[in-house]
Amino acid sequence: MTNYQIITDCTCDLSKNIYEKYPLLILPMEVNLDSEVFMHTKDFQNMDAITFYNKLKNGGVSTTSQINPETFRIEFEKVLNEGKDILYIGFSSGLSGSLQSSIVAKSLLEDKYPDRKIIIVDSLAASAGQGLLVYYALLNQEQGLNIEENEKWLNDHVLNLSLWFTVDDLQFLKRGGRVSGAVAFVGTALKIKPVLHVDNEGHLVNVSKEHGRKASLHALANRLHETIIEPEKQIIFISHADALEDAEFLATKIRSTTPIKDIIFSDIGPVIGSHSGPGTIALFFFATER
């Protein structure tokens, strides 16, 4: 039976053509920008990406809130009342407490709906890396995999999902405690651009420091070329924070060295963008290892 609802949250940063094509439920998340709260939705209904990043470039300060258990309970129960099971693919537990909130909601609902399944998968990923797992889950469902088969596929492949980022402004990493104030100051002065990676525990780690923007983008392309599995069969994702030109540069570099099937671009939403800042570029693909 494929009568189950795939659910994720808006940190997945999926492109519009994907979420419009498939029966996916994407939960919104709360963003506080200069003391004004808005809900970030899949379609940027309350604030578009360009407006959001322009505000950050002009000194705006943005913080985010995880999804609470009650929100999960309400949204899950709507689906269960429709007679459907649930496959929830969540934002990395190494970066947010939202996944734990979903587990609490599951525990509150299991006794009330003993004939329904609620399966939770930790993507151990962020942005369109989480989205890439969701995309494959949707394809699996379309091809007839039942909920347990889909869960197994996701868990079997999650540590082959490779996630690489580079940021343009170190001050946002400083605010989040990823780099010290001294490192941010020196790095900014020397135009150092860090290359970051999401590890097997779903944590964001600093891997290397490149001198200049183009060097950091070349580093991302090289990581893909060295580790990608069966590139000619893969659709890879590139997400960006109001930096389409650099995303396209990265795509051109990748295509010049690696025979991939296709590339899908998407905007990094304000939940992830609040912590990485304008100009962030992120690359996602399946590889020999994370």
Side-chain angles (χ1 to χ4, degrees):
M1 292 289 291
T2 58
N3 186 34
Y4 58 95
Q5 176 68 58
I6 296 175
I7 304 176
T8 190
D9 53 68
C10 62
T11 53
C12 69
D13 292 340
L14 278 170
S15 67
K16 183 177 180 179
N17 66 314
I18 292 176
Y19 67 69
E20 285 188 342
K21 180 178 179 180
Y22 297 96
L24 174 65
L25 176 58
I26 303 178
L27 304 181
M29 292 183 73
E30 186 177 283
V31 179
N32 186 319
L33 177 59
D34 294 332
S35 300
E36 292 188 12
V37 176
F38 70 94
M39 298 301 293
H40 171 50
T41 62
K42 63 183 181 182
D43 53 5
F44 288 83
Q45 182 178 4
N46 296 312
M47 185 176 297
D48 63 80
I50 292 176
T51 299
F52 175 74
Y53 289 115
N54 280 339
K55 287 180 179 293
L56 293 191
K57 290 173 187 176
N58 290 320
V61 176
S62 179
T63 59
T64 61
S65 300
Q66 66 189 45
I67 304 175
N68 61 50
E70 179 62 9
T71 297
F72 276 113
R73 186 196 66 77
I74 291 170
E75 296 302 325
F76 283 1
E77 192 157 24
K78 290 177 185 176
V79 174
L80 298 173
N81 281 329
E82 294 173 357
K84 295 180 180 179
D85 296 329
I86 291 171
L87 176 59
Y88 172 68
I89 303 167
F91 185 25
S92 172
S93 62
L95 296 170
S96 170
S98 286
L99 193 93
Q100 183 58 41
S101 292
S102 72
I103 293 171
V104 172
K106 174 182 176 178
S107 69
L108 295 172
L109 293 168
E110 283 180 318
D111 289 342
K112 187 175 180 180
Y113 297 90
D115 296 328
R116 298 266 64 85
K117 299 183 181 73
I118 304 172
I119 293 176
I120 295 171
V121 174
D122 186 349
S123 72
L124 296 173
S127 190
Q130 175 186 344
L132 190 56
L133 276 181
V134 171
Y135 177 57
Y136 274 89
L138 292 166
L139 294 178
N140 290 341
Q141 184 182 41
E142 185 178 56
Q143 292 164 9
L145 268 65
N146 65 35
I147 192 169
E148 291 89 357
E149 292 168 334
N150 214 342
E151 176 193 19
K152 183 179 186 305
W153 189 96
L154 292 167
N155 286 327
D156 286 347
H157 289 80
V158 69
L159 293 184
N160 294 110
L161 175 63
S162 197
L163 309 92
W164 295 91
F165 297 76
T166 187
V167 303
D168 195 44
D169 188 341
L170 286 165
Q171 297 304 316
F172 290 88
L173 293 183
K174 185 192 80 171
R175 288 179 196 170
R178 297 291 176 183
V179 299
S180 68
V183 168
F185 177 80
V186 173
T188 299
L190 298 178
K191 297 183 179 180
I192 291 173
K193 306 298 181 184
V195 172
L196 303 106
H197 167 62
V198 176
D199 66 14
N200 285 357
E201 286 73 48
H203 300 111
L204 190 63
V205 293
N206 197 347
V207 175
S208 66
K209 300 178 180 67
E210 306 295 333
H211 290 274
R213 178 67 158 180
K214 289 296 190 289
S216 68
L217 298 176
H218 280 288
L220 296 185
N222 290 339
R223 294 286 183 177
L224 178 142
H225 183 70
E226 292 166 0
T227 62
I228 191 170
I229 299 169
E230 298 183 309
E232 66 281 354
K233 297 180 181 179
Q234 281 207 49
I235 298 174
I236 69 169
F237 285 4
I238 297 175
S239 58
H240 66 94
D242 191 23
L244 181 57
E245 185 176 337
D246 284 342
E248 290 174 338
F249 175 89
L250 174 58
T252 299
K253 174 62 179 175
I254 290 170
R255 287 192 173 105
S256 73
T257 59
T258 312
I260 57 163
K261 182 178 179 180
D262 201 4
I263 298 174
I264 293 178
F265 298 97
S266 65
D267 291 306
I268 295 176
V271 176
I272 302 298
S274 293
H275 305 283
S276 62
T280 299
I281 298 288
L283 173 65
F284 311 97
F285 57 95
F286 285 99
T288 53
E289 60 183 6
R290 283 210 154 188

